[in-house]
Amino acid sequence: MSKLKIVVIGGGSSYTPELIEGLLKRHGELPVGALWLVDIEEGREKLEIIMGLARRMIAKAGLSIDVVATLDRRAALEGADFVCSQFRAGCLEARISDERISLKYGLIGQETNGLGGFANACRTIPIALEIAHEMEQLCPDAWLLNFTNPSGMVTEAILRHSGVKTVGLCNVPVIMQKGVAQLLECENESDFIMQVAGLNHFIFARQILHRGKDRLNDVIAHISAGRDPLVPRNIPPFSWPKHLLQGLGMIPCAYLRYYYMKGDILKQEQAEAGGEGTRGEVVKQLEKELFDLYRDPSLAVKPKALEGRGGQYYSEAACELMNAIYNDKRTIMHVNTRNNGAINGLPDDCAVEVSSLITRSGPLPLNVAPFPEDTLRLLQLMKSFEQLTIEAAITGDRHTAWRALVLNPLITSGEALEQALDEVIEHNRPLMPAFHRRRG
């Protein structure tokens, strides 16, 4: 059996130990021979710490996997079988500035939604396309597994502007599935099928099939009664507005609280920013504590403290996705892929997040029942926002940027938006070069 070469872009991430743990668990099915960890100069120290921990974890497992840490992305990509993308353009400092600028102008500050999601996409998409074009040259048969945020927009940009085989991943539907298993008291998640559909961080659970019945309404009843294990641990406890779940007849993912509870969430974020700090600032402190643990030369396992990071299960999902593709397992996973008619009312060639059958040829998205008209209109609006954001990220056109933002329900338009957009573009001058090119 030939050995696989796996490349991790953003190898110095605090999530990498979970990725390594997942690979070790699957070594009988996924024969990894080389693991290349790639980062940039600013991440050199963290990269070296992760390399040391990775080697200790592999040694503890009694396996032989070469671990290479490098700042040379092209050397890493040469001949790769799978490429995992988990980088953060501008590092946490850029996320924190997005949050602070948004709140300054009375907008929700979040890394994948609203103004922050727009800024993150504009920093990230040009880099993601550079990686994709390098893959076209250096490893054209490789799969790119993207869990770089904002995952849906990044995945769509790659699908539209490169020939790379790519799938986007998010931990939110994974957490939802684990929560449903808890509510249904299922020992194994394979005991039921949860079908989700929508856009990244904008999905709904549409069906929960268990023992020949759709248990969706039972799960809704549990959540309405105050039991909601479908929410990521990094999100403070909250309750959906009265009648929302019954009115929708679906279970919205936790990120939809930004849209259905906009005023409440803005007040909460403003209070947090004046107290313990924005989420980015909290994560920065948590990362410091994690890397203090990772430095310990006696540590040879993923520490439990990693579960406090918002991206819990990202890497676990990535390993299972690699396993499913490599072994043609035809398991159902929730991924970002081309719509291809799965969601009626959205373009066939756009990226959606849907339950899909994972094969050696990639995801086959499962068709879902038509969305209620009001929800579909919201999905269409958000897809237009995403596509205009992708265009703005590539072209650097400020008018396109403004057109994208005024569509977004989290944005208050007017002078405040003009000022906020100008400040975001100026603050990110080195990270958004397209917006600062001299126009002819």
Side-chain angles (χ1 to χ4, degrees):
M1 186 180 294
S2 61
K3 296 288 187 177
L4 298 173
K5 178 180 180 179
I6 294 177
V7 177
V8 183
I9 309 291
S13 165
S14 61
Y15 295 129
T16 304
E18 183 178 272
L19 181 70
I20 295 161
E21 180 186 66
L23 294 175
L24 296 179
K25 283 181 181 177
R26 295 167 176 80
H27 72 273
E29 295 180 282
L30 207 57
V32 181
L35 178 65
W36 285 63
L37 306 176
V38 185
D39 222 300
I40 57 176
E41 181 60 43
E42 292 88 336
R44 182 191 290 269
E45 182 184 4
K46 288 182 176 179
L47 180 64
E48 291 175 352
I49 292 169
I50 293 294
M51 176 182 66
L53 176 55
R55 288 175 174 171
R56 294 193 299 273
M57 291 175 70
I58 292 167
K60 181 180 176 65
L63 299 176
S64 178
I65 300 174
D66 293 331
V67 179
V68 181
T70 182
L71 306 185
D72 187 343
R73 193 170 68 205
R74 291 185 65 89
L77 290 174
E78 181 77 45
D81 295 291
F82 290 98
V83 178
C84 298
S85 174
Q86 59 179 31
F87 69 90
R88 185 188 294 278
C91 305
L92 278 171
E93 286 70 24
R95 174 181 180 172
I96 293 167
S97 75
D98 291 344
E99 293 167 340
R100 288 289 177 182
I101 291 171
S102 297
L103 291 170
K104 174 182 174 181
Y105 292 98
L107 304 172
I108 283 175
Q110 212 279 328
E111 69 168 333
T112 60
N113 295 277
L115 181 64
F118 167 84
N120 193 8
C122 289
R123 287 191 299 268
T124 303
I125 286 171
I127 299 170
L129 291 177
E130 285 180 14
I131 294 168
H133 295 321
E134 289 172 357
M135 288 180 62
E136 289 172 338
Q137 301 170 26
L138 301 168
C139 51
D141 295 325
W143 280 93
L144 173 59
L145 311 185
N146 177 69
F147 35 113
T148 291
N149 274 325
S151 183
M153 285 190 272
V154 173
T155 301
E156 176 150 345
I158 294 168
L159 287 170
R160 285 187 178 275
H161 297 283
S162 83
V164 169
K165 298 184 293 186
T166 188
V167 187
L169 278 172
C170 181
N171 68 327
V172 171
V174 179
I175 291 170
M176 291 176 71
Q177 179 144 337
K178 291 181 181 297
V180 169
Q182 183 178 328
L183 292 177
L184 296 182
E185 299 180 344
C186 294
E187 292 186 9
N188 300 306
E189 291 173 38
S190 59
D191 291 344
F192 67 94
I193 294 173
M194 180 182 75
Q195 188 177 25
V196 304
L199 308 178
N200 179 234
H201 285 189
F202 210 97
I203 58 168
F204 301 82
R206 304 296 312 276
Q207 285 188 308
I208 298 172
L209 306 178
H210 179 236
R211 296 179 180 173
K213 295 182 179 180
D214 189 344
R215 301 288 301 278
L216 180 66
N217 288 333
D218 295 335
V219 174
I220 288 175
H222 279 295
I223 296 172
S224 299
R227 292 187 64 203
D228 191 357
L230 282 67
V231 177
R233 294 183 185 180
N234 63 304
I235 292 178
F238 72 94
S239 298
W240 292 108
K242 190 177 180 182
H243 304 308
L244 174 70
L245 296 177
Q246 294 296 333
L248 286 175
M250 303 177 285
I251 303 173
C253 75
Y255 278 86
L256 277 157
R257 77 194 195 285
Y258 290 107
Y259 302 88
Y260 293 133
M261 305 167 64
K262 180 168 61 176
D264 297 339
I265 299 300
L266 178 58
K267 289 178 184 177
Q268 177 183 306
E269 286 191 347
Q270 289 169 332
E272 291 170 349
E276 66 178 352
T278 67
R279 177 61 188 170
E281 289 164 337
V282 171
V283 167
K284 188 173 182 179
Q285 178 58 35
L286 179 56
E287 289 232 323
K288 180 181 180 301
E289 295 168 4
L290 283 170
F291 276 92
D292 285 343
L293 292 174
Y294 294 170
R295 284 186 179 92
D296 182 352
S298 65
L299 181 70
V301 295
K302 179 194 77 176
K304 187 171 179 58
L306 182 54
E307 295 175 7
R309 284 290 273 113
Q312 184 188 18
Y313 306 126
Y314 263 122
S315 302
E316 174 68 18
C319 293
E320 188 53 37
L321 181 58
M322 281 187 268
N323 190 14
I325 292 173
Y326 180 73
N327 290 298
D328 199 23
K329 293 185 72 171
R330 307 184 187 192
T331 52
I332 295 175
M333 296 185 68
H334 318 296
V335 298
N336 289 272
T337 187
R338 280 193 182 90
N339 184 25
N340 287 342
I343 299 178
N344 186 35
L346 291 180
D348 288 345
D349 62 349
C350 79
V352 293
E353 188 164 292
V354 289
S355 305
S356 303
L357 196 71
I358 308 300
T359 74
R360 186 179 292 276
S361 300
L364 298 178
L366 302 180
N367 181 271
V368 294
F371 274 96
E373 186 172 342
D374 57 332
T375 307
L376 176 61
R377 296 292 176 260
L378 191 53
L379 284 165
Q380 291 169 332
L381 184 71
M382 292 305 297
K383 178 48 67 178
S384 294
F385 161 73
E386 289 187 353
Q387 293 184 332
L388 285 168
T389 296
I390 293 167
E391 182 182 343
I394 294 171
T395 64
D397 184 82
R398 291 190 186 215
H399 182 61
T400 303
W402 178 83
R403 289 170 58 207
L405 288 167
V406 294
L407 284 179
N408 192 298
L410 301 186
I411 299 295
T412 302
S413 59
E415 186 178 353
L417 173 58
E418 302 286 348
Q419 294 173 350
L421 178 57
D422 286 346
E423 188 165 339
V424 161
I425 290 173
E426 183 57 35
H427 188 85
N428 286 278
R429 178 175 284 270
L431 300 165
M432 293 184 187
F435 284 92
H436 299 278
R437 295 188 191 120
R438 188 180 298 277
R439 304 296 172 187

